[in-house]
Amino acid sequence: MSSLFRSANDKIEELLDTAKNNEIDIGSRKKHSITRTILIFIMGILFVIAIWWLIAEIYNIYFVVSLQFPTPKSVFTQLWSYLSGQNFLRVSIYQHIEASLFRWIKGFAIACMIGLVIGLILASNNSVYEFGIVPVNVLQMIPGLAWLPVTILLFGFGESAAVFIIAIAVISPIAISVATGIRKVPTVNIRVARMSGRSHFEIMTEVLIPFAAIDILNGLRIGMANAWRMLIAAEMVVGVAVGLGFAISQTTSTLDYVSSFVCIVVICAIGLIIDKIFFENIERYMRRKLGFEEAS
Amino acid sequence: MGVIDISGVYKAYLNRKGNKAQIVLKDVNLTIEENEFLCIIGPSGCGKTTLLNLIAGFEKPQRGEIKYRGKPITGPSSELAVVFQEYSLLPWMDLQKNVEFSLDRKKYSQKERGEIAKKYIDLVGLGGFADQRPNLLSGGMKQRVAIARTLAMQPNVLLMDEPFSSLDEQTRNRLDKEILEIWNKEKRTVIFITHNIDEALLFGTRMIMLSSSPGRVAGEWRIPEGPRDLLSEEMIALKKDILSKLQTCSCTTRTSSIIKIGE
């Protein structure tokens, strides 16, 4: 346990006297750090579950009126039986997950394209930015579900409405981070490209976007998380017949809180997997690829 | 007509509040001749870099005109290439790719670009590092790559903006020698900004001094061509003259150079 939280500096300090030719052999650092990362992550998850369990037990012992607070044990048992094929609101849990994932991908993809274009336009010059950031900020200030009346007017109820709510809530963070990232590119690098006769398009694709890649990726990451949260909220209100958000609102109204919690657990797990495994690795890869890691 | 003709150029910049503009260059007139190595010296903040940016076409003067071979300069071009004061390499490209980046794709094939880049990386003595990326190199090496990149463009006029100011004395001396060698090998017009008088005396065929706030040509010296000994009596006398002139060009901002734009 104590070795898990030890920093690299502590290790170096301990091994200082073993130095040969001014070099200290740290051992297989890479392998060690991956297991360390995973172990710390699992401990974090276990901590959350422990807190949940504590609250559930206290509630169930001292405050319970009629319904039990779902405990981790009951929720994970229920999750297991859904995963092994038990019917969940007329379909399997996999179909709920699939429906939600597809909506999320659609909404997120649309928002990415629009957000990227808006971001690039905003970054194109100072006056455009000063003017254009205003509507983007306005957009950002509107909570996703406040779009409900507009959504119903434009799309009615159902699939497209859910996708619209996701997209509209995600466009602005992406646009803002793309624009900020590109505006941070050093003037001198743009000047080199202009002097070398590169066209505006070439400067954009070969200098601006690579330079801003990490900022853009962070925007996508925030957008992804926003989209995922919006998806669940949207499904709860715009009347779709399948999906995790729909399942939460249904099970809540039938007082099947254990199943609601199952949905929450699944939602968290998917979100974490996408963020930790997908985005974190892309970011690490890009940092290496773009040579930013080498600067210190 | 010279290679570059600067006539009656004024340049002023707004301050942060935007209520005042500071005149940085005031009525600058200057002609730069073919194959001249012109060194521009002057106190910091006297508009040396501004003048260079105007010549390179990155910025436009508010009044006056700058012509390159008789034609007004409208924007940056590879004819007038700059070695920048700050690091300007792209961190994700190795040295070879960084140098290739500045070469015109319409003019050269991929293979030609590779060969030219290699030649100039060798020229600045970094042949063994062509596949390294800039962030792993020292400051001096990065600046040498920047020089190689600019030379590879084969510009008609080479503009250098204190290219070695961020480097230590030893590296600077070595690069000074390299620049001199390169200029002797491939004669061309060079405008070199520095605040190191020795450096200017070592390279220049002519030297001008800009006074500060507002910058204007405050002094001009011709330097005898050919190899020179900075410790010869002639050079020491010249340096004394320049130093005394530099002291009279004080760095204080004269209020006359500030324009009020309104409260």
Side-chain angles (χ1 to χ4, degrees):
Chain A
M1 185 77 161
S2 68
S3 78
L4 207 58
F5 290 107
R6 219 169 43 164
S7 71
N9 267 337
D10 294 338
K11 180 136 193 188
I12 290 173
E13 199 271 328
E14 179 188 309
L15 294 172
L16 266 184
D17 298 324
T18 69
K20 280 179 201 133
N21 291 332
N22 283 328
E23 254 180 26
I24 303 167
D25 193 0
I26 306 285
S28 53
R29 165 107 182 100
K30 187 120 199 185
K31 214 166 158 190
H32 172 235
S33 82
I34 288 173
T35 39
R36 180 173 179 267
T37 314
I38 294 171
L39 273 174
I40 290 183
F41 179 75
I42 290 174
M43 282 166 56
I45 297 284
L46 289 177
F47 179 72
V48 173
I49 293 174
I51 296 284
W52 166 18
W53 207 315
L54 197 68
I55 293 171
E57 289 297 335
I58 292 173
Y59 179 88
N60 290 343
I61 294 169
Y62 298 105
F63 302 102
V64 70
V65 186
S66 56
L67 278 170
Q68 294 267 316
F69 196 106
T71 58
K73 189 167 170 253
S74 60
V75 170
F76 282 106
T77 320
Q78 185 66 52
L79 172 64
W80 179 247
S81 60
Y82 282 145
L83 288 176
S84 4
Q86 191 197 321
N87 223 17
F88 185 21
L89 300 171
R90 293 180 305 281
V91 292
S92 76
I93 194 167
Y94 298 107
Q95 276 162 299
H96 287 296
I97 294 175
E98 191 190 319
S100 288
L101 274 178
F102 271 112
R103 254 171 233 141
W104 170 70
I105 289 171
K106 263 193 243 167
F108 183 55
I110 293 172
C112 276
M113 283 186 284
I114 300 176
L116 209 68
V117 172
I118 295 179
L120 290 174
I121 295 172
L122 283 183
S124 66
N125 103 23
N126 266 335
S127 313
V128 172
Y129 181 83
E130 282 170 22
F131 166 79
I133 197 71
V134 179
V136 175
N137 279 337
V138 169
L139 191 64
Q140 197 188 18
M141 284 306 130
I142 303 174
L145 284 186
W147 285 98
L148 196 57
V150 182
T151 313
I152 293 168
L153 281 177
L154 291 176
F155 298 97
F157 287 94
E159 189 71 24
S160 343
V163 174
F164 172 78
I165 289 189
I166 297 162
I168 201 82
V170 176
I171 288 172
S172 49
I174 294 180
I176 289 171
S177 51
V178 171
T180 334
I182 289 182
R183 283 161 59 84
K184 277 198 307 205
V185 176
T187 320
V188 68
N189 293 95
I190 301 171
R191 286 185 168 175
V192 168
R194 286 181 64 199
M195 172 176 102
S196 316
R198 296 278 161 277
S199 68
H200 283 292
F201 182 76
E202 285 171 323
I203 293 178
M204 191 176 82
T205 54
E206 292 173 42
V207 179
L208 298 181
I209 292 182
F211 244 111
I214 301 294
D215 284 298
I216 294 176
L217 191 72
N218 275 328
L220 295 184
R221 207 165 159 176
I222 296 167
M224 187 283 301
N226 275 7
W228 191 234
R229 283 197 298 266
M230 276 324 298
L231 166 83
I232 303 307
E235 283 181 352
M236 289 168 78
V237 293
V238 296
V240 288
V242 59
L244 292 167
F246 160 79
I248 292 182
S249 66
Q250 283 297 304
T251 49
T252 307
S253 58
T254 57
L255 304 181
D256 181 5
Y257 291 166
V258 173
S259 295
S260 307
F261 267 65
V262 168
C263 294
I264 295 172
V265 167
V266 172
I267 288 163
C268 288
I270 295 173
L272 277 175
I273 287 169
I274 293 165
D275 192 64
K276 285 279 162 200
I277 296 181
F278 186 64
F279 275 103
E280 236 170 51
N281 281 312
I282 292 188
E283 181 172 339
R284 206 171 299 144
Y285 168 79
M286 289 224 287
R287 277 187 177 280
R288 258 204 319 275
K289 174 103 182 148
L290 293 175
F292 291 119
E293 204 99 285
E294 291 148 5
S296 52
Chain B
M1 187 183 79
V3 177
I4 288 167
D5 290 298
I6 301 170
S7 52
V9 160
Y10 281 76
K11 182 74 187 175
Y13 289 108
L14 282 180
N15 68 355
R16 265 214 352 233
K17 277 187 184 165
N19 59 350
K20 281 173 192 167
Q22 172 94 38
I23 298 179
V24 181
L25 294 176
K26 187 172 185 179
D27 196 19
V28 174
N29 294 286
L30 194 61
T31 298
I32 295 134
E33 305 291 343
E34 195 80 54
N35 288 346
E36 193 173 21
F37 201 123
L38 176 74
C39 291
I40 302 177
I41 59 165
S44 323
C46 72
K48 300 185 297 276
T49 300
T50 304
L51 185 61
L52 198 98
N53 281 338
L54 292 173
I55 298 172
F58 294 130
E59 293 175 46
K60 288 192 171 58
Q62 276 103 3
R63 190 189 291 170
E65 204 170 31
I66 303 181
K67 284 180 179 164
Y68 168 64
R69 298 190 188 281
K71 281 186 213 134
I73 291 167
T74 53
S77 89
S78 53
E79 294 284 289
L80 303 142
V82 186
V83 179
F84 294 94
Q85 183 174 7
E86 64 266 53
Y87 301 134
S88 55
L89 303 173
L90 296 173
W92 59 89
M93 292 183 182
D94 61 24
L95 303 193
Q96 175 81 20
K97 287 269 167 347
N98 259 296
V99 176
E100 281 177 27
F101 179 80
S102 67
L103 297 171
D104 197 332
R105 279 172 215 167
K106 285 170 224 115
K107 212 158 119 196
Y108 305 107
S109 69
Q110 170 63 44
K111 194 168 157 253
E112 284 170 321
R113 276 187 283 145
E115 282 162 6
I116 298 170
K118 193 177 173 311
K119 178 183 153 199
Y120 283 94
I121 291 174
D122 286 342
L123 188 72
V124 295
L126 289 174
F129 297 90
D131 58 350
Q132 299 263 23
R133 294 202 288 194
N135 279 339
L136 291 174
L137 303 181
S138 71
M141 286 156 108
K142 282 191 227 181
Q143 275 314 63
R144 271 146 79 186
V145 182
I147 292 167
R149 180 181 60 195
T150 309
L151 288 175
M153 294 165 72
Q154 311 241 352
N156 216 283
V157 179
L158 193 55
L159 306 166
M160 299 211 218
D161 182 10
E162 298 185 39
F164 312 137
S165 62
S166 54
L167 307 181
D168 64 273
E169 198 63 25
Q170 285 150 304
T171 317
R172 184 186 193 123
N173 286 339
R174 213 180 53 239
L175 288 183
D176 279 349
K177 276 197 197 102
E178 279 175 25
I179 286 286
L180 208 54
E181 259 175 49
I182 291 165
W183 189 67
N184 283 329
K185 261 190 259 177
E186 310 187 2
K187 276 261 166 12
R188 66 187 61 182
T189 313
V190 181
I191 301 175
F192 190 97
I193 289 178
T194 178
H195 39 220
N196 185 326
I197 296 173
D198 283 347
E199 212 170 57
L201 288 173
L202 198 65
F203 300 140
T205 55
R206 184 159 62 120
M207 184 157 135
I208 62 161
M209 182 188 288
L210 287 186
S211 65
S212 67
S213 308
R216 56 200 313 177
V217 180
E220 186 172 343
W221 295 268
R222 294 233 162 244
I223 306 167
E225 283 204 44
R228 45 201 83 163
D229 177 9
L230 289 183
L231 296 174
S232 71
E233 272 180 41
E234 192 192 2
M235 281 296 184
I236 291 173
L238 193 56
K239 189 172 172 180
K240 270 188 185 158
D241 184 33
I242 295 164
L243 279 173
S244 69
K245 190 88 185 204
L246 196 58
Q247 259 151 16
T248 60
C249 281
S250 72
C251 214
T252 50
T253 304
R254 271 177 247 144
T255 44
S256 67
S257 68
I258 294 175
I259 310 167
K260 284 211 168 130
I261 309 277
E263 296 311 306

